[in-house]
C-alpha cells in the first residue's frame, strides 16, 4: 500500500528492495572473503546495481466501474428521470409515445441484456440527456408559445424527438434480439455436432 511519507515510500520501493537484496549478496561475499578488503565498495556497488536494474515504480491503475456497476447507476438515473417525467404535463400523443419509450428502455435496462459499452452508451445518452432535454425544452417552449403564439407547436417537435428516440431504442432491442438468435443457433449446431461425434 502506498504511503504519503517519502522516506517510507522509498524504503518500500522496488529499487530499494532490489538494491538491498543485491547488497546482502555483497555481504555474503564479504563474509566468505571473496570481496577482500574492498568489501564496503562491493556491497555499495551491488546495492547500486540492484537499484538500477529494478523495474520502475508504477502507480496503481485506476479502477473504473464495470458494465454491471454502470448499468446499476444508469437504472438509478432512469428512476430519477421517471420521477421528473411524472411531474410534467404532456399532451396525450407525446405522453403515449413517451410511455412506449419508457417501456422499451425499462426492458433494455433489465439485468442480463445490455453489456456492450456502445449499447450502454446509447442507453445512457437517451436516459441522461436526450429524453430530459426533449421534455424540458418542450416545457420551456410551451410557455413561450403561450406568450408569442403563431409558431410551430412545440408538441410536434416533442413527438418527433420521442419518435426518433424510440426508433433508436428499438434498433438496439432488435440488435440484441438478433444476437440472441445467433447465439441460440450456434448452441444448437454445437449440440448437434457434439451428438454426432
Amino acid at each position: 500500500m502506498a504511503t504519503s511519507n517519502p522516506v517510507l515510500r522509498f524504503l518500500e520501493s522496488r529499487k530499494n528492495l532490489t538494491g538491498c537484496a543485491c547488497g546482502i549478496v555483497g555481504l555474503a561475499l564479504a563474509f566468505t572473503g571473496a570481496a577482500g578488503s574492498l568489501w564496503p565498495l562491493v556491497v555499495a556497488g551491488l546495492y547500486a546495481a540492484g537499484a538500477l536494474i529494478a523495474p520502475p515504480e508504477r502507480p496503481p491503475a485506476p479502477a473504473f466501474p464495470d458494465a454491471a456497476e454502470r448499468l446499476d447507476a444508469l437504472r438509478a438515473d432512469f428512476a430519477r428521470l421517471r420521477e421528473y417525467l411524472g411531474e410534467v404535463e404532456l399532451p396525450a400523443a407525446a405522453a403515449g409515445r413517451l410511455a412506449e419509450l419508457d417501456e422499451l428502455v425499462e426492458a433494455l435496462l433489465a439485468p442480463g441484456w445490455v453489456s456492450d459499452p456502445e449499447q450502454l452508451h446509447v442507453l445512457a445518452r437517451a436516459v441522461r440527456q436526450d429524453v430530459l432535454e426533449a421534455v424540458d425544452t418542450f416545457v420551456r417552449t410551451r410557455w413561450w408559445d403561450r406568450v408569442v403564439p403563431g409558431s410551430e407547436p412545440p408538441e410536434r417537435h416533442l413527438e418527433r424527438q420521442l419518435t426518433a428516440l424510440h426508433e433508436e431504442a428499438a434498433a438496439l432491442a432488435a440488435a440484441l434480439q438478433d444476437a440472441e438468435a445467433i447465439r441460440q443457433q450456434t448452441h444448437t449446431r454445437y449440440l448437434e455436432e457434439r451428438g454426432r461425434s
Side-chain angles (χ1 to χ4, degrees), residues 89-98 134-135 137-146 149-163:
E89 184 182 325
L90 297 175
R97 181 50 89 184
L98 185 61
V135 172
T137 304
F138 163 75
V139 170
R140 287 184 283 129
T141 307
R142 182 177 60 179
W143 183 85
W144 281 108
D145 192 51
R146 290 177 188 161
S151 59
E152 186 177 5
E155 292 85 5
R156 252 187 242 148
H157 283 287
L158 178 62
E159 289 173 33
R160 287 169 52 197
Q161 291 168 358
L162 294 175
T163 299

Side-chain angles (χ1 to χ4, degrees), residues 5 7 10 14 41 55 57 64 98-99 117 122 128 141 184 187:
N5 185 338
V7 174
F10 171 74
R14 292 179 186 176
L41 291 176
E57 293 294 323
F64 295 115
L98 185 61
V122 169
R128 294 179 176 144
T141 307
Q184 185 182 33
H187 190 62

Side-chain angles (χ1 to χ4, degrees), residues 3 20 28 33 38 70-71 74 84 90 98 108 112 174 191:
T3 61
C20 287
L38 298 176
R70 287 184 298 200
L71 199 55
L74 187 54
Y84 165 74
L90 297 175
L98 185 61
L108 289 169
L191 291 175

Side-chain angles (χ1 to χ4, degrees), residues 16-29:
N16 182 50
L17 294 176
T18 306
C20 287
C22 291
I24 290 172
V25 170
L27 286 174
L29 291 173

Side-chain angles (χ1 to χ4, degrees), residues 32-76:
T32 61
S37 63
L38 298 176
W39 68 269
L41 291 176
V42 171
V43 171
L46 285 173
Y47 173 86
L52 287 174
I53 64 168
E57 293 294 323
R58 290 187 321 255
F64 295 115
D66 63 4
E69 292 171 332
R70 287 184 298 200
L71 199 55
D72 288 342
L74 187 54
R75 281 191 203 105

Side-chain angles (χ1 to χ4, degrees), residues 85 90 92-104 131 135 162:
L85 295 174
L90 297 175
R97 181 50 89 184
L98 185 61
E100 292 172 4
L101 178 61
D102 179 80
E103 183 180 340
L104 186 53
V131 174
V135 172
L162 294 175

